[in-house]
Amino acid sequence: MSARGTRKKGQSASLFDPELEHLPPEMRWREWMNRVEAVIFAASEPVPRVDLARVVGRNCNIDLVIDDIREELRGRPYDIVQVAGGYQHRTRPSYADAIRTVSGAVEKAVDLNQTEALVLMTIAYFQPITRSELSTFFGREISRDLISTLRGFGFIGYGPRSPRPGAPYTYVTTAAFLSHFGLASLRDMPDYEALEDAGLLSKEKALAGDLMQIKLEDEGE
Amino acid sequence: MIPEDQKPSRRRRKPKPLPGPLEHPVAPVPAWLRDASRSPASLEEASFIAGTALGALDHLVRRRQIWAGLWRQRLALASAATTVRRIGRLEDEEALRDAIHLTRNGDSVGPAGEMLLAWRDAVSLPPQDCLLPEALATQFQRFGRRDDDAVAVLADALADNANAGAISQTIDSFELVLRHSAVPEAAPFVSDLILARAFGWERAVPLIAPDVARGGFTRAISEEPAPIREERRIKLLSAYACAAIRAIDLSIDLGRKSERLLEAAPELRAKASGAVVEKLLSEDSLTASTPIVGITRWGMHRIFERLIAFGVLRELTGRSTFRIYGV
């Protein structure tokens, strides 16, 4: 795998042959599959499709390549999944316990308590939102600590500053948030469409109390 | 070398009114066209009206008016606001402006701001660049759905269609986006880019997004019977006619305001005031901290205050802090 990587790097881009026209179709397809899998395997972050398209022929359908790779990985403990706008190798959820037993504390345990999860959800739906707006929303102070915990996980980042006294920062969710929760985009969040249809995706309405119902339901769970 | 160096500095010290808008005011849209564009009855009528309106618009775009940047940015803002509303968010034009101006480098502008960035890219990059598959994929992500497979298919379909006539390419591209992607909000975006490319414009002009925001433009209809398809074509053509007329109206308004700004500009004595005026004519809005070489933000404040006193500039937010200025 690494040998392939260095060879690729060593050659200039003009010498790299994505089309592989000298190979018979089956071998070409196999080589394309290998290349795509190698690129995804070697990357530490989800690989966007456009990057994958650079290592295969022009008329090669990446979807079919990915499907074939996934087919081959069927019995394996890992899989290729689409997250945060790219493809990534992920171990299957059923092996989480085994991995945790070994790596233990080494893994950055993302253990959100209920309030944190609720605040994160609120930010995701109502971004950009400031801390004081969050506090109004929840009816109690949302502490800086809580925000910095979420920032520590890399789930939220700074958005535009709010045009209010003190120019407080608003918070928005990050690509890491999408990646962690296995979402391809914000609009894939559950019930987003329903909220959109209901016209509820507005901070003003949320602050006016229209959304309290959702909050209470969530807390009840 | 030396005279070249001196020329801009002299101009900066004393910006004189540039002749463009003064000598050739934009011709207003004739009343018959305005009336006819409202509800064309047949495909022939719709085509003729769209052709006439787009012809007038084409004429205007080719004149490369000094305020064209401002004009495009305003249209982009209107289109972005419509797109944002269409996906159910309630940010308006002011909120979008805030998102752009109040975000520091490296921070995120938020989901609604991203949509404005997509439209701003469309008016600041050549249309053929915006239509490359990678660029389209990025913009679709900004519209809220990363959908690379759809974009790849769509780019192919658009390329196949690239030799058709300008108008039919544009109208067809709308349908292609609806058919191949899960982002119906991007259909007017792609159509406007295709129109700009087909007409050979340097930069796109955001047009039909506000006109197709309602009235069932979200569903692909290539499988439907012919009358329904014809109705859609009539609606789209009429949307283009209305949009072109609106863009021309806006250009008349902005042309007049820009003219007044250019007349007042020689009164400014600050060194970089020429650059500030130029920037005001190429951007939707500025804040005092917009970086312009040769002037501090206090200097910018003074220039803005003077221009407001002359009545040629407006503070757009109505706030006493975090002010945003525009023509």
Side-chain angles (χ1 to χ4, degrees):
Chain A
M1 214 62 90
S2 67
R4 190 191 302 277
T6 47
R7 185 165 59 90
K8 244 188 262 167
K9 230 177 209 172
Q11 287 178 345
S12 72
S14 60
L15 288 177
F16 180 74
D17 172 24
E19 298 292 341
L20 298 172
E21 264 156 17
H22 59 283
L23 293 177
E26 299 85 50
M27 283 178 69
R28 191 186 305 155
W29 188 256
R30 161 71 23 210
E31 181 65 14
W32 281 344
M33 277 169 63
N34 285 347
R35 282 178 176 180
V36 167
E37 195 175 353
V39 169
I40 297 173
F41 181 80
S44 55
E45 282 165 4
V47 187
R49 215 187 146 83
V50 277
D51 288 351
L52 296 179
R54 280 163 48 198
V55 298
V56 297
R58 219 172 309 133
N59 49 10
C60 166
N61 186 335
I62 304 251
D63 281 328
L64 297 180
V65 173
I66 299 273
D67 285 349
D68 282 3
I69 299 173
R70 293 191 63 177
E71 186 60 35
E72 286 192 354
L73 293 180
R74 182 160 291 204
R76 314 294 306 160
Y78 44 82
D79 195 4
I80 288 183
V81 289
Q82 192 172 13
V83 280
Y87 293 95
Q88 194 175 35
H89 264 115
R90 291 267 171 108
T91 48
R92 295 187 193 276
S94 47
Y95 297 94
D97 290 344
I99 297 168
R100 215 169 286 137
T101 309
V102 177
S103 57
V106 179
E107 187 194 18
K108 195 170 74 177
V110 177
D111 193 14
L112 298 175
N113 64 32
Q114 203 184 13
T115 322
E116 286 163 350
L118 205 49
V119 170
L120 183 60
M121 183 213 85
T122 313
I123 294 174
Y125 279 113
F126 301 105
Q127 59 183 311
I129 186 166
T130 64
R131 194 172 64 88
S132 67
E133 282 167 336
L134 281 169
S135 300
T136 318
F137 185 90
F138 282 96
R140 66 185 170 86
E141 178 84 4
I142 299 299
S143 70
R144 288 194 172 80
D145 285 350
L146 200 159
I147 296 288
S148 65
T149 311
L150 292 177
R151 265 178 61 74
F153 290 134
F155 289 156
I156 60 172
Y158 292 126
R161 304 184 80 153
S162 177
R164 274 158 239 273
Y169 276 107
T170 56
Y171 297 99
V172 294
T173 54
T174 59
F177 164 79
L178 293 178
S179 168
H180 183 85
F181 290 96
L183 300 165
S185 81
L186 276 181
R187 288 170 75 181
D188 290 334
M189 288 198 301
D191 281 332
Y192 207 81
E193 309 271 74
L195 283 173
E196 278 177 8
D197 291 345
L200 284 174
L201 289 176
S202 113
K203 237 166 30 186
E204 287 71 25
K205 272 198 187 168
L207 293 176
D210 279 16
L211 263 181
M212 280 307 162
Q213 235 176 336
I214 287 183
K215 185 196 142 198
L216 293 177
E217 274 166 21
D218 273 23
E219 263 176 345
E221 274 170 15
Chain B
M1 191 68 197
I2 290 167
E4 268 173 14
D5 232 348
Q6 278 176 348
K7 222 190 272 166
S9 76
R10 201 189 309 139
R11 199 179 59 201
R12 223 177 276 148
R13 211 170 298 138
K14 211 163 190 189
K16 47 180 189 245
L18 289 142
L22 289 171
E23 284 175 13
H24 309 284
V26 179
V29 178
W32 69 264
L33 184 55
R34 203 179 291 275
D35 289 343
S37 72
R38 291 218 176 95
S39 52
S42 65
L43 192 56
E44 291 82 39
E45 198 164 346
S47 315
F48 180 76
I49 287 160
T52 314
L54 287 173
L57 182 69
D58 182 56
H59 185 59
L60 163 65
V61 169
R62 278 178 208 290
R63 296 234 302 262
R64 293 200 194 129
Q65 306 277 22
I66 184 171
W67 38 260
L70 163 66
W71 175 62
R72 282 200 170 87
Q73 292 253 340
R74 284 279 157 88
L75 289 169
L77 183 66
S79 285
T82 318
T83 317
V84 167
R85 247 194 321 276
R86 221 179 126 182
I87 68 154
R89 305 190 68 91
L90 292 195
E91 275 102 341
D92 54 3
E93 297 192 2
E94 276 81 42
L96 289 177
R97 258 190 205 124
D98 284 352
I100 296 290
H101 284 299
L102 301 179
T103 306
R104 294 199 320 178
N105 273 348
D107 287 347
S108 156
V109 291
E114 289 284 344
M115 271 176 228
L116 178 55
L117 287 183
W119 282 100
R120 279 164 83 114
D121 272 1
V123 297
S124 54
L125 300 170
Q128 50 273 25
D129 291 1
C130 297
L131 286 165
L132 295 174
E134 305 90 72
L136 274 185
T138 317
Q139 306 303 11
F140 274 55
Q141 184 174 22
R142 285 178 160 162
F143 280 103
R145 266 193 218 296
R146 177 126 202 159
D147 204 350
D148 288 311
D149 17 346
V151 169
V153 178
L154 173 66
D156 282 348
L158 291 175
D160 288 346
N161 206 18
N163 293 324
I167 300 285
S168 64
Q169 242 191 81
T170 308
I171 302 294
D172 290 346
S173 69
F174 196 92
E175 174 69 16
L176 286 174
V177 177
L178 294 185
R179 195 188 325 157
H180 292 302
S181 88
V183 196
E185 301 82 32
F189 179 83
V190 173
S191 284
D192 287 346
L193 285 170
I194 295 279
L195 180 80
R197 189 181 66 180
F199 277 19
W201 292 344
E202 289 169 342
R203 301 287 183 268
V205 178
L207 291 171
I208 54 164
D211 297 274
V212 298
R214 59 189 57 146
F217 287 98
T218 51
R219 205 164 42 88
I221 47 145
S222 46
E223 309 287 307
E224 303 281 333
I228 294 183
R229 277 179 302 174
E230 184 175 309
E231 196 191 347
R232 169 71 65 83
R233 289 183 84 83
I234 293 176
K235 274 188 182 165
L236 280 176
L237 286 167
S238 133
Y240 264 107
C242 294
I245 291 171
R246 211 179 41 242
I248 293 172
D249 288 346
L250 179 68
S251 80
I252 292 171
D253 180 42
L254 288 179
R256 207 176 293 133
K257 288 176 175 165
S258 306
E259 205 176 293
R260 294 222 312 271
L261 176 65
L262 285 169
E263 275 165 9
E267 302 289 318
L268 299 170
R269 282 184 297 274
K271 248 188 191 162
S273 48
V276 175
V277 169
E278 231 163 73
K279 195 100 177 159
L280 280 171
L281 292 179
S282 57
E283 295 280 335
D284 160 63
S285 53
L286 298 181
T287 63
S289 44
T290 309
I292 290 180
V293 178
I295 190 157
T296 61
R297 61 195 172 103
W298 297 281
M300 292 269 277
H301 255 305
R302 274 195 296 275
I303 290 185
F304 290 149
E305 290 304 325
R306 280 208 84 195
L307 288 174
I308 287 177
F310 292 144
V312 296
L313 190 72
R314 275 187 316 139
E315 203 287 309
L316 298 168
T317 63
R319 293 188 293 245
S320 58
T321 48
F322 307 98
R323 295 184 183 184
I324 298 172
Y325 303 89
V327 174

